[in-house]
Amino acid sequence: MSEGYDRAVELLRNCSSPHGFVASVVDRDNYRRVWSRDGAIMGLAALQTGDEDLIGTFRATLETLIKYQGPHGEIPSNVDAEQRILSYGGTAGRVDADLWFGIGVGQYVRATGDSSLLEIAAPALERVRFLLGAWEFNNRGLLYVPQTGDWSDEYIQNGYVLYDQLLYLQFQREVEAVDRVLGRDASTEQVEKRRQLKRLIRANYWFDSDGEHSEDIYHDVLFTKGSRAARICAGRQWMPFFSPLGYGYRFDAFANVLAGLLGVADQDQTERVDRRIDEDIVGDGKALLPAFYPVITPWDQDWEDLQTMFSYTFKNDPYEFHNGGLWPMITGFYVADLARRGRESEAGRFLEGIDWANSLEGEAGAWSFPEFVHGRNFTAGGTRRQGWSAAASIIGHKALEGEPVIRGNEDRDEEDPPVQ
């Protein structure tokens, strides 16, 4: 393996605690806590390594999240188990905390065969499943995500956010996988709910140039207006979200990558997204994906709204953080998808970008593993020694060796095979 991989594994070890993975070893804000989202992503990387200690830390992460599950089924966004301080989110809860928890449980059991976790995890998972159903609000299959309600909690997305719907689809797959391990058959209603969600995603977040409307369109007038306004990006990317006020049109890199990785996008769609990335977003620059594109500048209509979106201090100056910052973590999942599709050369180029980013200097010298990289100056940004930046390198290296980051991610019309 490369130096980048070895140093990434080392950082994952340093982020290990008796209670699970902490987001960073840096004592800043609440980064030295066990996070559901970060912990699940770091856990996926740990599973790929096959390292028993790291896999044990992943299990401890899930156990900690279960221990502090809220009264309605909500999974904490982050936990300081030593001080017994926990958070379910800021001004709004974190919907993806619940989604990543469910994915983490399912993937842990698939990869390890250790079903003993399910003694405590299965009841917790069922409570999460019920809560997520309530968060559909209108019982029509898509989760409604409030402003600040997921990982892009300082950006201007809300409503029916694609990223969360994709995770919701994988969550439902994991619920079915857990049921199989427990010797239970998924109900007809549960299977149809999962299949309907995939149809809803495909119908409502990809605008075809022919303008045809599927019977799964969520709101016909909203969809028609959205498709007319999306001429620049229609047929080139997945739409990031829609709400009662209309559609968003910026390129959400995480969502577009997950659409391919989780088997929602077909071959033509994934190739169109690849071209969008190659021609418009990355080009001849560093092989790293921005959180969102294009950048919001002080001259843009959305700038005033963006300026109000922060928890501690404003982070979203142009080319920073969610506003055009380049993220190794997101890029790691793109490497995994490229490798899955046999595009090893392109995957290798982006993996080099990840290891280059992770090697940037910080206060303590090289290999600072920054949260993001400035999209124009290419300097390290955000919190350093970030565990999921290390996970990105592991995910990429292992994907190129044929080790998937998400197991069992393809829907099948026939009966799904048993979990190994």
Side-chain angles (χ1 to χ4, degrees):
M1 281 293 182
S2 71
E3 181 181 9
Y5 177 86
D6 292 338
R7 287 185 176 271
V9 171
E10 179 185 11
L11 180 53
L12 234 59
R13 294 189 192 282
N14 292 336
C15 287
S16 298
S17 79
H19 305 287
F21 288 116
V22 297
S24 171
V25 296
V26 175
D27 191 8
R28 173 188 177 189
D29 298 336
N30 50 14
Y31 281 85
R32 289 192 67 176
R33 295 186 184 182
V34 174
W35 284 72
S36 54
R37 184 191 313 117
D38 301 55
I41 292 172
M42 295 161 72
L44 294 177
L47 293 174
Q48 288 179 296
T49 68
D51 184 284
E52 292 185 2
D53 291 337
L54 293 176
I55 292 172
T57 301
F58 186 24
R59 175 170 174 142
T61 302
L62 298 171
E63 290 173 336
T64 295
L65 297 173
I66 292 168
K67 180 178 180 180
Y68 292 99
Q69 186 175 27
H72 310 97
E74 56 271 49
I75 294 297
S77 173
N78 58 81
V79 176
D80 180 340
E82 296 290 343
Q83 301 295 323
R84 294 180 179 269
I85 300 172
L86 62 155
S87 169
Y88 297 101
T91 51
R94 302 289 187 259
V95 174
D96 62 342
D98 302 83
L99 299 167
W100 278 114
F101 165 76
I103 293 169
V105 168
Q107 289 294 308
Y108 173 85
V109 175
R110 289 180 194 262
T112 65
D114 178 13
S115 59
S116 65
L117 176 67
L118 297 182
E119 183 175 344
I120 59 172
L125 200 58
E126 178 59 25
R127 295 174 70 198
V128 173
R129 186 192 67 80
F130 181 84
L131 179 64
L132 291 170
W135 283 347
E136 291 178 17
F137 289 122
N138 55 14
N139 199 33
R140 291 177 58 191
L142 295 180
L143 293 173
Y144 194 89
V145 181
Q147 197 91 42
T148 77
D150 61 20
W151 95 277
S152 58
D153 55 353
E154 301 193 15
Y155 201 67
I156 52 171
Q157 295 212 122
N158 71 93
Y160 299 102
V161 179
L162 174 59
Y163 155 83
D164 298 277
Q165 314 310 324
L166 292 164
L167 295 182
Y168 194 24
L169 176 63
Q170 189 62 34
F171 174 92
Q172 293 183 31
R173 292 169 176 165
E174 303 302 345
V175 169
E176 292 182 34
V178 166
D179 280 344
R180 289 195 295 273
V181 171
L182 296 174
R184 303 187 304 224
D185 292 329
S187 67
T188 302
E189 291 79 11
Q190 184 173 311
V191 172
E192 177 53 31
K193 181 179 179 65
R194 186 247 304 158
R195 291 174 175 171
Q196 180 201 24
L197 177 55
K198 185 174 180 179
R199 293 195 301 268
L200 286 169
I201 294 171
R202 289 182 57 80
N204 289 279
Y205 295 91
W206 185 272
F207 292 146
D208 287 318
S209 57
D210 57 19
E212 291 186 5
H213 285 207
S214 163
E215 62 182 11
D216 294 306
I217 295 301
Y218 208 79
H219 190 283
D220 191 71
V221 174
L222 191 67
F223 184 85
T224 299
K225 290 181 177 179
S227 61
R228 289 174 179 169
R231 299 190 184 281
I232 294 177
C233 53
R236 305 180 68 206
Q237 67 176 55
W238 295 86
M239 297 298 105
F241 72 92
F242 65 91
S243 75
L245 298 179
Y247 271 83
Y249 302 100
R250 284 185 168 80
F251 182 85
D252 180 339
F254 210 170
N256 276 269
V257 167
L258 288 175
L261 184 64
L262 300 182
V264 172
D266 61 28
Q267 180 176 345
D268 179 62
Q269 289 167 332
T270 55
E271 290 175 353
R272 287 170 182 259
V273 170
D274 287 340
R275 287 197 294 273
R276 174 87 160 124
I277 290 171
D278 291 341
E279 295 173 3
D280 301 332
I281 297 171
V282 174
D284 296 328
K286 299 295 182 182
L288 291 164
L289 295 182
F292 297 94
Y293 172 89
V295 168
I296 300 173
T297 71
W299 299 273
D300 291 320
Q301 182 177 352
D302 292 328
W303 179 254
E304 184 174 349
D305 290 336
L306 182 66
Q307 281 191 301
T308 67
M309 301 299 299
F310 63 90
S311 299
Y312 296 94
T313 58
F314 181 68
K315 302 176 183 177
N316 275 315
D317 283 320
Y319 301 100
E320 297 186 6
F321 205 51
H322 295 130
N323 189 22
L326 308 177
W327 289 72
M329 180 272 293
I330 300 174
T331 309
F333 284 96
Y334 189 45
V335 173
D337 187 47
L338 288 168
R340 179 187 66 88
R341 292 186 276 130
R343 299 190 62 180
E344 289 89 354
S345 176
E346 293 89 342
R349 182 168 74 94
F350 280 93
L351 179 55
E352 288 177 4
I354 292 170
D355 286 342
W356 169 83
N358 286 341
S359 72
L360 287 172
E361 288 200 9
E363 295 85 350
W367 293 100
S368 66
F369 288 89
E371 193 169 12
F372 68 89
V373 175
H374 192 283
R376 175 165 286 179
N377 301 332
F378 306 120
T379 52
T383 300
R384 311 301 198 266
R385 308 290 292 169
Q386 196 80 27
W388 69 7
S389 295
S393 179
I394 296 169
I395 289 168
H397 280 281
K398 286 297 184 180
L400 279 167
E401 292 183 351
E403 187 74 23
V405 63
I406 299 289
R407 293 162 175 81
N409 67 345
E410 300 292 344
D411 284 340
R412 291 175 171 84
D413 292 330
E414 68 272 20
E415 184 180 355
D416 288 331
V419 177
Q420 300 299 316

